[in-house]
Structures are given as structure tokens and as C-alpha cells.
Amino acid sequence: MKKIQISPSILSADFSRLGEEIKKLEEGGADLIHVDVMDGHFVPNLTIGPPVIKNLRKYTKLPFDVHLMISPVHKYIENYAEAGADIITIHPEATENLKNSINLIKKFGKKVGVSLNPKTTISTLIDEIENIDLILVMSVNPGFGGQKFIHSSIDKISKVRKMIDDSGRDIRLEVDGGINSETIGLASEAGADTFVAGSAIFNTENYEQTISELRSKIV
Ligand code: DX5
Ligand code: ZN
């Protein structure tokens, strides 16, 4: 089993002091920083763009796990690569040509993530499995933090786990949405190895304690 990674989503952070929040996450034991980018079009919410990510880069050495919920995504990939993203995750529905967008992410030397919405089938990934570094299973419909974990995601995580194992490739399996001290165990049991958590961390005072508690529930 791979090293487990906790990727706190800054969507629920205090946006007026994002730099400090990110430092606290690093000190608290986070492995990655999950940055949710939303355009008010692909999803019904708006967040931050490349200049903010660029400015945040100096606050941490942790990799930026950038989740792009924007459409059309292709023409913006370069901006996020240059802003300091380390992993760039895209949704197949947000690009005209998944292969081209994957190749573009690779061209900039970034890790490639592909995200599956609750209604997106795993078969969408079959042709690209050789080119992907991370599969993100959405366990809520994207757009907002603090939503309830969709339990049918467990079955999907198991299926993606099998697909990854069958491929023999080194691909991370990330789960995003409604992860808390109860659901993290279920997702890990099903085969996830990378866990996004937003409200479960930011709704608490002590991020270090919460991150440790989440980690302790992983089986
Ligand atoms: C939802 C985002 C998630 C979300 C996670 O569109 O992709 O990263 O912020 O937040 P919680 O952990 O609160 O569900
Ligand atoms: Zn996300």
C-alpha cells in the first residue's frame, strides 16, 4: 500500500489570510494543499485563479493539488502550470479533447489528474489510463464545501482501485467531498490513498489534531 496522503481543501479556509492558513496546514501535517478552482459556469460557485495560487506558492513547500472545475479548461492549463500547480486535475466534461488536455499538462511537467463526478462513469478513463497520475473520485457534486458524502462513491472507489491495480501503473486514488472522521475509513477501505478534506479540518480550531485524527481512522 502506498503512503497515505491528506490534502486539505482550502475552500473552507479564511480567504482573507490564506497564506497563514496554508502554513498552519503544513505545520499540522498535511501532505498536499488542495486548491479548488471554480468558474461559476462548470460549477455554480466562483473561487480563485492563477494570481492567488502564484502568491500562495511562497507560503509552503508542499505540492499544490489543483482541482480545476472550469470549462473550457484547456486554454487555462498553462496559466495554472505557471502559477505553481504540481498536480493539475481536470474533469473530462470540461474539455473538448481529454487526450490533448492531458498531453498539455504533461508538456508543462505537471502530474495529471482526472476527476470523475458522481455521475461520470469509470469507462471515461479507459483510453487514458496510461497517461494519468491521479484519479479523483468526487464523493459530492462539485461546487461547494460542507456537503454530505455520497455513499455510492464507495463502490466506485473499489472499481477504480481494481482498474488501477490491473493497469500496474503508479496512479494515486484521491477522494474528494464529505470526507470526515467517519467517511475517511470507508473510503480508505475501498482503496483510496489520498484524501481531500475541507470543512472537516477548517471547522476545527486545531488543524494538527484534526489531521492526525483523520489519519488515525484510515485502515
Ligand atoms: C467540492 C470541492 C471539494 C470540497 C471539499 O467541489 O472539490 O474539494 O471543497 O470540501 P468538504 O471536505 O467540506 O466536502
Ligand atoms: Zn476539490
Side-chain angles (χ1 to χ4, degrees), residues 23-42:
K23 272 192 172 167
K24 271 170 66 182
L25 293 171
E26 182 166 10
E27 287 160 11
D31 300 292
L32 305 165
I33 301 293
H34 187 85
V35 183
D36 286 307
V37 177
M38 304 185 182
D39 67 353
H41 166 70
F42 184 68

Side-chain angles (χ1 to χ4, degrees), residues 3-8 21-34 60 62-63 201 207-208 211-212 215:
K3 183 181 177 279
I4 292 300
Q5 294 191 315
I6 305 280
S7 188
E21 293 275 64
I22 283 176
K23 272 192 172 167
K24 271 170 66 182
L25 293 171
E26 182 166 10
E27 287 160 11
D31 300 292
L32 305 165
I33 301 293
H34 187 85
T60 180
L62 294 179
I201 294 174
Y207 302 163
E208 183 171 11
I211 290 170
S212 307
R215 225 186 265 285

Side-chain angles (χ1 to χ4, degrees), residues 67-173:
H67 179 192
L68 296 180
M69 288 160 275
I70 60 177
S71 171
V73 70
H74 193 81
K75 62 180 173 185
Y76 295 105
I77 287 172
E78 180 169 7
N79 301 73
Y80 287 94
E82 281 176 353
D86 297 282
I87 305 166
I88 298 183
T89 297
I90 59 174
H91 285 253
E93 296 86 352
T95 178
E96 276 181 11
N97 188 317
L98 183 59
K99 192 179 280 300
N100 287 350
S101 296
I102 287 175
N103 285 337
L104 189 59
I105 298 171
K106 285 166 89 162
K107 188 182 138 199
F108 291 111
K110 307 300 178 182
K111 293 234 158 90
V112 176
V114 178
S115 179
L116 297 172
N117 274 346
K119 289 210 170 88
T120 307
T121 59
I122 296 172
S123 58
T124 316
L125 297 176
I126 288 174
D127 290 343
E128 297 307 328
I129 194 86
E130 292 299 319
N131 301 310
I132 294 175
D133 301 297
L134 176 148
I135 298 172
L136 173 58
V137 174
M138 289 303 305
S139 39
V140 298
N141 285 303
F144 299 94
Q147 301 183 73
K148 205 169 169 300
F149 185 85
I150 297 173
H151 276 266
S152 55
S153 322
I154 296 296
D155 183 48
K156 196 172 201 174
I157 293 167
S158 306
K159 290 189 171 131
V160 173
R161 177 81 266 157
K162 182 165 184 325
M163 190 183 189
I164 292 173
D165 291 348
D166 290 348
S167 79
R169 294 197 66 249
D170 182 18
I171 300 173
R172 297 208 70 95
L173 204 179

